[in-house]
Structures are given as C-alpha cells and as structure tokens.
C-alpha cells in the first residue's frame, strides 16, 4: 500500500520507469475498478519510452529487458469488458508514430507482439474502438520498409501465407466512416509502395485480391446512386439536388484518385489487377450499353452519367490501358462497318491496299484492348466479350445486315441509322452531345493514345488514307464540329451557358486541332454569331447595362484562361448540373435566382450573355476597340473637370443646384425633406438623395445613393405626386465565381423600393423625365463603346 503512494520526483527517470513497469506487471485482471489506474500506467510508459528513444538509451534497453510490449498484449487478454482496448491502442499508436530510432522501431515489430495485438479479438460494435484500431494499423504501416515488412508477414517457402496487418485492414475498407476509409487507403498504399514481390503476389491472389473487385463494385454503387440523383422524378429543390450531386461526385472522384495511386505504382501484377477490375466490372459494361444504345442492359446507368464516369475516369487515372481500351471499343463498331466500304473501294481503285489495312486495324484494336494491361495471360481482360457482343449486334441488326448490298445504300444507311458515339454527337439532348464530345477530345488529346487509334478519330498520318475511301471514321471530328455549331445556332431559348460550353468546344477544335469550317456549316456559326450580338444588344435595355463593359472585360480574360485549359482538366460535372436543371420546372429559374424579375436574375442573365459573347468575339475587335475605349474612359474619369456629383457617395457634401426638392419616408427616421439629384457621367450613373446643410443653404449631404440602372421610375396612378423607384440591392461582389451552370446558389436579396413625394404632379413628372434622361445618357455612352462590336457585320471565316 505504502509503495503505491510513493512516486519518484523525476517521472522520466529510469528508476520511475522500472517502478511503473512493476506496477503494470502486478495487474492480474483489468476491470471497471482499476481501469483508470491501468490507463495511467500505460500512458506513463508510452511517455517515458518516447522520451527515452530520443534522450536516454538506457530507458529503451529497460523497455526491451522487461518485454513491455508483451505486457500490453497480456493486458488486452486479461481485460474484462473494461473498455481498455481503445486507450491502449491510442497510446501504442502514439509511441510508434514518435519513434525515430531504427533500433527501437525494429525491436517493437519483432517477436510478433504487433501481430498479436492486431489479431486480438475486439468488439467493434460500441464506441470509437474501430477508429482507434484503424489509427493503430495506420501508425504501424507508417513505419513500413522492407525490413519491417518481413517482421509482419508469415512465409512458407517463398510464399506469404499470412499478413495480419493487411488482412485486418481490408475488413474496414468499405466502412461508413470517411476517416476510417481514408486511413485504410493510406495504409494499403504504404504497403504497396514497399515493393516486395512476395507481398505483391499475396495481395493480388484470392482471397486478398477480392479487395479490388469490391472497391470497383462500391464505385459502381456510387455511380448508380449518382444516376438516380440526376434522374430523380420527383420535383425537388434544384439547389439541394446540386449539393447532393457534389457530394456524390466527390465520392466517385475520391475512389478514382485512389485507383490512380495504386495504378501508378510500378508493379505489373498490382496495376494490372486494378485495371482488369475497372475494365471488366465498370468500363466495359458502360461501353457496351452505350455502343449498343441500351440494347444490352449491362449497365443500368443513363448515357449522361455513363459519359460523366468515363470522362472522369480517363481524366484522373493516367493509364495507357484504359485510354486505348475506351478508344478501341468506341472505334471498333465503325471499323467493322467500314469493311464493306473498303471492299468497294478496292474494286474502284486497285492501286490501294485499304482492304488489307482495315482488317489489320481491327486486329490491332483487339490486341491493344486485350493486351493493354500487360496482365498475365491466364487472367486476360475480357475484351473478347465486349467485341463479341458488338459483332453480334451488328450482324443481327437489319440496318447493317442489308447495307452491304450496295455501297450507296450502305453509306445512306450509316448516316440514317448511326450507332455508338455518332448517335450521341447527333442527339437532340445537348447535355449528351457535350458529354460525348468531351470524351472524344480527352481521347484525342491523350499522350497515351495509340497512333492508330488517334488517326481513326481524325488525327495523324492515316487520316488522309481513310478519307480517300469515305470511311465513317473520318467523320468523327467533323461530326463533333457540326454538333457544337448546331448547339450554338439552336433555339434562342437554349440556356446561354449550354451554348458557352459548346463555344468552348468549338474553339478547342479550331484552335488546337486545326479544324476548319466548311461552306455547309459556316452559316451555322454566323447564325450563332448574330444571335449572340442580338442578346448583347437586348442587354442594353436591361437593368445591368452599366456593368456590361466591365463584365465583358473580365469575361474576356476568363474565357482566355478557360481556353488554355486542356480537355483533361475540364470538369464534366457541368453536364450533370445542366441535366438536373433542365429536368425540373424550376431548374432554370433557380439558376437565375427563382424570381425572373429580380436584379439577381437579371444579373445572371447578363453575365451569361456576356460570357458567350466574349468567347466568340473576334480578338482584334475586342482588344483594339472595346478594351482600348475602356482604358481611355477610366483615364478620363479621374480628371479634375468631372462633376462632384458624379463622384459623390454616402456622406459626401455636394451642391443642390441641380436637385429637385421632394420628401421620402424612412422606416427608422420618419418623413424627411430631401433633394433628388440624378447624374450620369459617361458609362456610370447614380441617383443621389441629399439633405440640405443646416448652415450652407446651397449645399447638402448625401444620405442615400442608388444606380440609375434599374430605377424604372413610375408615377403612382392614384397619387400623381408619388414617384416609385426600384433599387438594385444585389451586390455583384458576392457572385464573382460564376463557375458553372446551376451550381451557384440562389441569392435571396430582394430589390429595394423608394417612393419620393413631390409638391405637385408636374414636379413629379419632371423628376421622372430627368431620371430617364440621365439614364438614357448613360446607356448611350455604353452603346457607343460597344458600337464596334454591335454594329459589326463580320462573319467568322474559320
């Protein structure tokens, strides 16, 4: 008893350490009565060992001499529902993480103590024990190297037969707690990065290899849930659905980045197994369903979600096998259908060898997809199933079965009954068109795409050879160009940002792929060009005309940055957002703030119009005329001759000479006598309300200010001396991002209302006319600066 009350002064001394160990050894059972004492002893031991690892080698020698880790194992075994496991694992994690001596680390992992702790039978149903357990496993993995790894596995001959750390961690791979899931993924990557051949064979052999197929199945579940969100039939708040989309797509992207980390490890067995599972369980079912236009229900995903998944997967996972597998599967149907053309072409021109070229390309595509993973022959990726189903569909489809009878009929049939990627490019659904086009561009711009496949998409040395024989393959990129032009020239009711994304694709095709507009679709661009001019012209009559110039300047810079973004970096989420917004009756309205008449709604419409116009303006027109004029206007605004009223704001002292006396009632200040002063200076304009100075009779102090735009002065029908004004309350500074369609949450700020009272109806009418005159001056100044663009009869000749 007396010994338990005695404590050495220096708790980091060797003497106190021995005392603490002895106290722990005296514990025969751990229950609710001595639990706190045991926890205190464990904490003291860990603190002293951590100190000794850096400061006193004798302490760690004592730690080894007394086999303290064996005491930790014993404490676990003698615990009787005392909930000692969580603190014990926590302190062990702290000790392992803070060890720096290689000698100390090596000892801790010797003698199977760590494995015994890992394999202890824990009850994970209660509390946070699972979190502490996984943290302990991760701490162990953080010290992993080839020497440590050898201490944690059991080997028979040259084969790993047991790896408790890895096996235990996989049990938590699909845990619902995000923190635990993240820890397990970090742990497995620590193991994979050690580069041990025997361990690689262990993790890629059943039952351990099931981990990767389970991950892909989990990813597919996320994809199905995402698809359900995109196509939910019930009318739901668009903002809430967009938030749910972001959460679900984040889960998918997290999964893909983990796969990327695994595939990036330079080990053929491991990366091959992951690629195999991704292709067989996710990619091929999606492709089969897309290419056969839902004839096979291999994937329950819609085309919109399918394209999103494929695009995201290829963007994130930099894997040659995946790139060429997707490209090969997309091109394979067209190669099969082109064999008839090749035969006819050979008869017409015996000097060519295209009939041999096409079958050889087919064989190359099959070989690329089947062997691209460099995986073992016994576990070859099942590409034959994919191609077999496509062959079966093409041969059984009457459109294609009968089209070989005559070459002209064949060509017409191909154009009338297009399948696969061309069907999506020519879809009536703009979301599907843009999503499929993004997939083509990602493939075309990939550095890992095989040159044969690249040439079939429409680039490379084989393109001319294919064009000579009218192959449908060379129509992929022309079809893509035609698709975006049709979107741009479509119904004016098409959302502006849908057209903006189409314009982005157009510029990518023109600027980066050297494509040109032919005569037959040049008019489509000219139609869209005129539409954008008309939209911008209409905004001059809107309530944000005073912001058009600065918005155009900002969006011109923004569009330039966006065009420099490679297709590999373009977030395909926009197609899901547009799809959600278009499905709900309030979807488009939500993008514009719900109330179509609000200042926020008008602001969003103006920005969207300007974004589109900035994208398809001629560079020289914008830079040489508009931006120069804006710079000149900014410079002039700072000169001394500018009136004091045009620069005034709240609290400014100004002359009342140009003002009209009136009254206004404020809710917190009652009725006040004021002067109304509308003033426009070039492209800026404001309405000032000033109160007469108590001493200086011809001067006043500004008590309120509002932009001239949006005022819409209206005389009250029942009270001809009252003038109603509508005030923009929305602050554009809070809407600066404008990154995506429907992704911006609605602004709840309502427009303000002012009612000014005048002495007579004539004075009220004069005030209305004065406001309209100053507003017209401001609008005219803006129109003059936009004139080189609005009056341009230029038609783009790309």
């Amino acid at each position: 008893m007396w010994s338990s009350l005695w404590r050495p002064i220096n708790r980091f001394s060797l003497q106190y350490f021995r005392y603490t160990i002895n106290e722990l050894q005296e514990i025969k059972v751990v229950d609710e009565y001595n639990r706190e004492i045991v926890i205190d002893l464990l904490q003291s031991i860990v603190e002293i060992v951590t100190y000794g690892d850096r400061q006193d080698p004798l302490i760690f020698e004592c730690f080894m001499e007394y086999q303290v880790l064996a005491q930790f194992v014993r404490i676990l075994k003698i615990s009787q529902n005392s909930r000692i496991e969580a603190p014990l694992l926590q302190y062990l994690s702290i000790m392992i993480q803070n060890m720096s001596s290689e000698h100390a680390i090596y000892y801790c992992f010797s003698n199977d103590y760590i494995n015994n702790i890992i394999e202890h039978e824990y009850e994970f149903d209660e509390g946070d024990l699972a979190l502490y357990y996984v943290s302990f496993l991760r701490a162990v993995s953080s010290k992993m190297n080839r020497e440590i790894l050898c201490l944690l596995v059991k080997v028979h001959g040259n084969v790993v037969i047991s790896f408790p750390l890895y096996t235990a961690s996989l049990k938590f791979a699909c845990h619902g707690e995000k923190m635990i899931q993240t820890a397990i993924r970090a742990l497995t990557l620590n193991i994979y990065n050690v580069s041990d051949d025997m361990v690689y064979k262990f993790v890629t052999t059943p039952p351990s290899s099931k981990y990767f197929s389970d991950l892909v199945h989990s990813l597919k579940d996320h994809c199905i849930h995402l698809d359900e969100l995109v196509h939910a039939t019930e009318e739901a708040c668009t903002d809430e659905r967009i938030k749910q989309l972001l959460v679900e797509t984040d889960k998918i992207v997290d999964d893909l980045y983990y796969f990327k980390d695994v595939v990036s490890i330079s080990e053929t067995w491991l990366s091959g197994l992951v690629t195999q599972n991704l292709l067989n369980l996710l990619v091929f079912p999606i492709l089969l369903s897309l290419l056969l236009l839902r004839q096979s229900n291999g994937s329950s995903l819609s085309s919109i979600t399918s394209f999103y998944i494929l695009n995201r997967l290829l963007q994130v996972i930099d894997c040659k096998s995946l790139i060429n597998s997707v490209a090969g599967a997309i091109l394979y149907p067209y190669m099969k259908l082109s064999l008839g053309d090749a035969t006819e072409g050979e008869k017409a021109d015996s000097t060519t060898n295209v009939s041999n070229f096409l079958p050889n390309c087919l064989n190359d595509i099959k070989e690329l997809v089947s062997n691209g993973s460099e995986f073992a022959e016994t576990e070859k990726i099942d590409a034959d199933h994919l191609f077999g189903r496509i062959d079966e569909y093409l041969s059984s489809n009457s459109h294609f079965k009968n089209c070989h009878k005559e070459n002209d009929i064949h060509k017409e049939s191909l154009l009338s009954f297009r399948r696969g990627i061309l069907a999506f490019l020519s879809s009536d659904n703009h979301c599907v068109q843009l999503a499929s086009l993004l997939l083509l561009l990602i493939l075309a711009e990939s550095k890992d795409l095989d040159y044969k496949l690249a040439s079939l998409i429409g680039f490379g040395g084989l393109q001319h050879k294919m064009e000579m024989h009218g192959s449908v393959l060379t129509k992929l990129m022309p079809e893509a160009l035609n698709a975006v032009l049709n979107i741009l020239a479509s119904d004016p009711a098409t959302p502006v940002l849908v057209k903006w994304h189409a314009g982005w694709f157009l510029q990518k095709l023109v600027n980066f792929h050297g494509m040109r507009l032919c005569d037959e679709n040049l008019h489509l661009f000219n139609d869209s060009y005129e539409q954008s001019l008309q939209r911008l012209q209409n905004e001059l009559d809107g309530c944000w005309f005073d912001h058009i110039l600065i918005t155009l300047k900002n969006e011109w810079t923004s569009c330039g940055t966006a065009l420099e973004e490679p297709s590999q970096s373009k977030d395909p989420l926009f197609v899901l957002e547009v799809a959600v917004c278009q499905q709900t009756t309030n979807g488009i309205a939500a993008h514009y703030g719900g109330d179509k008449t609000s200042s926020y709604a008008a602001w969003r419409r103006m920005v969207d119009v300007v974004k589109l116009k900035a994208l398809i303006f001629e560079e020289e027109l914008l830079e040489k005329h508009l931006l120069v004029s804006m710079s000149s206007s900014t410079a002039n605004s700072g000169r001394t001759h500018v009136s004091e009223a045009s620069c005034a704001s709240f609290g400014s002292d100004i002359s009342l000479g140009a003002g009209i006396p009136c009254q206004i009632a404020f809710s917190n200040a009652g009725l006040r006598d004021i002067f109304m002063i509308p003033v426009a200076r070039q492209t800026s304009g404001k309405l000032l309300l000033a109160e007469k100075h108590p001493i200086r009779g011809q001067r006043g102090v500004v008590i309120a200010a509002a932009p001239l735009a949006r005022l819409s002065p209206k005389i009250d029908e029942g009270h001809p001396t009252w003038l109603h004004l509508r005030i923009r309350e929305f602050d554009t500074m809070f809407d600066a991002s404008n990154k995506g369609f429907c992704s911006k949450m609605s602004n709840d700020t309502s427009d303000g209302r002012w009612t000014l009272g005048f002495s007579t109806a004539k004075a009220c009418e004069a005030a209305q006319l004065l406001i309209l005159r100053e507003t017209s001056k401001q609008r005219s100044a803006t129109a003059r600066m936009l004139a080189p663009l609005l009056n341009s009869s230029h038609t783009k000749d790309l």
Side-chain angles (χ1 to χ4, degrees):
M1 175 179 177
W2 293 106
S3 62
S4 64
L5 299 175
W6 175 82
R7 293 289 186 275
I9 297 176
N10 183 4
R11 60 190 310 267
F12 290 104
S13 66
L14 183 60
Q15 182 182 11
Y16 179 57
F17 186 46
R18 285 175 175 158
Y19 161 78
T20 306
I21 295 172
N22 289 331
E23 289 285 292
L24 188 64
Q25 289 175 335
E26 292 296 321
I27 301 295
K28 303 304 179 184
V29 64
V30 181
D31 53 30
E32 58 181 331
Y33 301 106
N34 64 352
R35 175 179 179 273
E36 296 302 323
I37 295 175
V38 174
I39 290 176
D40 183 58
L41 292 173
L42 294 176
Q43 179 181 1
S44 297
I45 288 174
V46 168
E47 290 175 348
I48 296 171
V49 170
T50 303
Y51 168 82
D53 180 55
R54 291 177 171 82
Q55 304 292 334
D56 190 347
L58 294 178
I59 289 179
F60 201 81
E61 288 182 10
C62 181
F63 177 82
M64 293 186 291
E65 177 185 350
Y66 282 85
Q67 297 185 346
V68 175
L69 277 181
Q71 292 299 318
F72 277 70
V73 176
R74 186 181 67 87
I75 291 296
L76 279 176
K77 293 180 178 180
I78 64 174
S79 174
Q80 297 181 348
N81 299 322
S82 61
R83 296 177 288 111
I84 197 67
E85 293 92 345
L88 184 145
L89 292 170
Q90 181 185 20
Y91 294 137
L92 272 178
S93 300
I94 294 172
M95 184 180 73
I96 292 172
Q97 288 172 339
N98 287 281
M99 279 186 175
S100 58
S101 166
E102 293 184 7
H103 175 66
I105 295 173
Y106 190 85
Y107 171 78
C108 285
F109 287 85
S110 302
N111 301 314
D112 233 19
Y113 296 135
I114 296 297
N115 279 341
N116 287 332
I117 294 172
I118 292 173
E119 294 180 306
H120 178 74
E121 294 185 4
Y122 298 92
E123 296 291 338
F124 292 110
D125 297 334
E126 300 180 1
D128 297 327
L129 180 58
L131 183 60
Y132 288 111
Y133 181 73
V134 170
S135 296
F136 166 69
L137 298 180
R138 184 175 182 178
V140 172
S141 74
S142 68
K143 300 299 181 180
M144 195 72 67
N145 56 41
R146 301 198 70 170
E147 290 73 23
I148 297 300
L149 186 61
C150 292
L151 300 175
L152 295 175
V153 298
K154 296 177 181 178
V155 180
H156 180 71
N158 292 324
V159 178
V160 174
I161 60 174
S162 175
F163 190 178
L165 173 64
Y166 187 73
T167 303
S169 67
L170 297 190
K171 296 177 182 178
F172 298 88
C174 296
H175 196 279
E177 178 65 43
K178 180 66 175 178
M179 188 179 299
I180 290 179
Q181 188 181 108
T182 301
I184 294 300
R185 293 185 176 184
L187 182 158
T188 55
L189 288 174
N190 287 339
I191 292 174
Y192 302 152
N193 280 303
V194 173
S195 300
D196 184 272
D197 291 338
M198 288 194 298
V199 171
Y200 282 143
K201 189 171 183 179
F202 176 82
V203 301
T204 57
T205 302
S208 297
S209 59
K210 187 176 181 293
Y211 167 61
F212 299 106
S213 60
D214 288 344
L215 283 178
V216 179
H217 283 301
S218 176
L219 172 59
K220 192 170 183 178
D221 288 341
H222 290 317
C223 296
I224 293 173
H225 187 213
L226 174 65
D227 195 53
E228 292 171 350
L229 288 177
V230 172
H231 298 283
T233 55
E234 68 274 7
E235 184 68 24
C237 173
T238 302
D239 291 347
E240 184 60 33
R241 285 181 63 186
I242 294 298
K243 291 177 183 177
Q244 292 174 354
L245 278 183
L246 293 173
V247 171
E248 205 60 35
T249 53
D250 282 346
K251 293 178 183 177
I252 292 172
V253 172
D254 285 346
D255 288 347
L256 292 178
Y257 271 106
Y258 176 66
F259 285 124
K260 172 185 172 66
D261 291 337
V262 178
V263 171
S264 298
I265 296 172
S266 57
E267 205 290 317
T268 303
W269 279 87
L270 185 61
S271 60
L273 180 61
V274 173
T275 304
Q276 177 200 27
N277 280 284
L278 283 172
L279 287 172
N280 285 346
L281 301 179
L282 182 67
V283 175
F284 284 169
I286 288 176
L287 285 172
L288 187 62
S289 184
L290 284 174
L291 294 174
L292 304 189
L293 290 183
R294 323 305 306 169
Q295 295 296 319
S296 165
N297 197 24
S299 168
S300 58
L301 304 179
S302 67
S303 56
I304 284 286
T305 307
S306 295
F307 277 119
Y308 171 81
I309 300 303
L310 289 175
N311 287 328
R312 258 306 182 200
L313 184 143
L314 296 182
Q315 286 176 328
V316 172
I317 304 179
D318 187 15
C319 178
K320 187 174 182 179
S321 300
L322 290 172
I323 289 287
N324 288 299
S325 295
V326 173
I330 286 176
L331 294 173
Y332 182 77
Y334 303 111
M335 292 297 296
K336 292 290 291 184
L337 296 174
S338 297
L339 286 175
D341 277 339
T343 304
E344 296 297 327
E346 184 183 37
K347 294 177 181 178
D349 184 2
S350 60
T351 61
T352 65
N353 195 31
V354 72
S355 62
N356 291 329
F357 170 75
L358 285 169
N360 290 339
C361 277
L362 282 175
N363 292 332
D364 288 342
I365 288 176
K366 281 190 175 183
E367 184 177 356
L368 279 169
V369 177
S370 298
N371 301 329
S373 69
E374 300 180 0
F375 203 59
E377 184 67 24
T378 56
E379 299 188 53
K380 183 186 296 184
I381 292 175
D382 189 16
D384 288 338
H385 173 70
L386 174 67
F387 291 125
R389 292 300 303 277
I390 296 174
D391 284 340
E392 177 185 350
Y393 173 67
L394 295 178
S395 62
S396 64
N397 190 297
S398 59
H399 301 317
F400 303 117
K401 188 175 182 180
N402 299 323
C403 68
H404 295 283
K405 293 180 179 178
E406 186 176 341
N407 193 41
D408 291 338
I409 297 177
H410 175 50
K411 292 179 180 179
E412 182 180 353
S413 179
L414 287 177
L415 293 176
S416 301
F417 302 103
R418 289 175 292 188
R419 291 297 183 261
I421 198 73
L422 285 183
F424 296 108
L425 288 176
S426 58
S427 170
D428 293 333
N429 188 324
H430 296 324
C431 300
V432 172
Q433 287 181 289
L434 295 177
S436 59
L437 178 56
L438 181 58
L439 177 61
L440 272 181
L441 289 185
I442 290 173
L443 293 172
E445 292 183 359
S446 173
K447 64 181 181 354
D448 291 323
L449 183 66
D450 184 86
Y451 76 94
K452 298 184 184 70
L453 297 175
S455 65
L456 297 181
I457 293 177
F459 308 106
L462 298 179
Q463 180 180 357
H464 176 66
K465 192 172 185 178
M466 300 300 293
E467 285 177 345
M468 290 172 56
H469 301 277
S471 170
V472 71
L473 296 174
T474 59
K475 293 182 179 179
L476 284 175
M477 280 306 167
E479 284 283 347
L481 187 61
N482 189 64
V484 297
L485 287 170
N486 274 291
I487 295 175
L488 285 170
S490 62
D491 189 333
T494 301
V496 178
L497 274 188
V498 173
K499 294 194 173 189
W500 186 90
H501 286 292
W504 183 90
F505 283 113
L506 174 65
Q507 295 287 9
K508 295 291 283 186
L509 291 171
V510 171
N511 295 340
F512 295 97
H513 299 296
M515 301 193 70
R516 308 285 296 180
L517 295 187
C518 60
D519 292 339
E520 65 185 50
N521 55 24
L522 181 60
H523 74 277
L524 291 174
F525 179 84
N526 291 333
D527 287 348
S528 65
Y529 191 83
E530 293 302 321
Q531 276 190 29
S532 64
L533 284 177
Q534 185 59 51
R535 286 178 185 264
L536 189 60
Q537 179 72 57
N538 293 341
E539 286 303 318
L540 280 173
D541 297 325
C543 67
W544 289 97
F545 71 84
D546 54 334
H547 279 63
I548 291 178
L549 294 170
I550 187 62
T551 303
L552 187 55
K553 180 180 179 181
N554 293 339
E555 292 302 330
W556 171 252
T557 303
S558 175
C559 288
T561 302
L563 288 174
E564 294 175 359
E565 177 186 35
S567 300
Q568 291 282 351
S569 302
K570 185 174 180 64
D571 191 343
L573 178 64
F574 75 91
V575 296
L576 302 182
E577 294 178 326
V578 174
V580 167
C581 289
Q582 290 181 334
Q583 285 174 4
T584 57
T585 57
N586 68 334
I588 302 301
H591 171 59
Y592 291 127
D595 180 6
K596 295 181 179 180
T597 64
S598 68
S599 293
Y600 175 75
W603 164 258
R604 294 299 304 130
R605 281 192 295 270
M606 185 275 291
V607 172
D608 289 349
V609 167
V610 171
K611 281 172 70 72
L612 177 61
K613 194 66 238 174
L615 188 68
I616 61 176
F617 259 141
E618 279 294 274
E619 182 176 354
E620 59 182 68
L621 279 175
L622 188 63
E623 293 188 344
K624 291 185 178 180
H625 294 282
L626 178 64
L627 299 185
V628 171
S629 299
M630 288 184 64
S631 300
S632 175
S633 173
T634 303
N636 290 336
S637 66
R639 295 177 183 173
T640 55
H641 68 265
V642 176
S643 66
E644 60 177 356
S646 64
C647 301
S649 59
F650 179 80
S652 298
D653 183 272
I654 60 172
S655 171
L656 300 178
I660 298 178
C662 59
Q663 289 184 323
I664 189 171
F666 291 110
S667 58
N668 58 348
L671 194 66
R672 299 176 69 170
D673 293 319
I674 59 169
F675 283 79
M676 183 203 77
I677 308 173
V679 55
R681 177 66 185 175
Q682 294 186 355
T683 60
S684 64
K686 63 185 73 174
L687 177 70
L688 303 176
L689 301 183
E691 200 168 34
K692 181 183 290 186
H693 197 283
I695 300 177
R696 305 167 64 187
Q698 297 303 312
R699 308 289 294 180
V701 177
V702 176
I703 62 171
L708 284 178
R710 189 58 165 181
L711 286 180
S712 305
K714 181 180 180 181
I715 297 175
D716 191 283
E717 294 181 359
H719 301 82
T721 60
W722 291 4
L723 184 64
H724 298 295
L725 304 175
R726 190 170 180 177
I727 312 301
R728 285 190 330 217
E729 297 287 352
F730 173 66
D731 188 350
T732 61
M733 296 298 293
F734 292 103
D735 195 58
S737 59
N738 301 325
K739 291 183 179 179
F741 187 63
C742 287
S743 60
K744 195 68 182 171
M745 299 300 106
S746 301
N747 185 280
D748 295 329
T749 303
S750 302
D751 291 342
R753 297 288 193 276
W754 288 355
T755 298
L756 304 181
F758 295 86
S759 57
T760 64
K762 186 175 181 180
C764 184
E765 184 178 353
Q768 180 190 40
L769 293 175
L770 182 58
I771 292 174
L772 293 175
R773 186 185 70 186
E774 292 297 305
T775 305
S776 178
K777 286 169 54 179
Q778 182 187 7
R779 183 179 286 108
S780 297
T782 303
R784 283 195 300 272
M785 296 188 68
L786 286 172
L789 306 176
L790 295 174
N791 298 330
S792 173
S793 60
H794 172 79
T795 56
K796 188 137 180 133
D797 183 15
L798 298 177

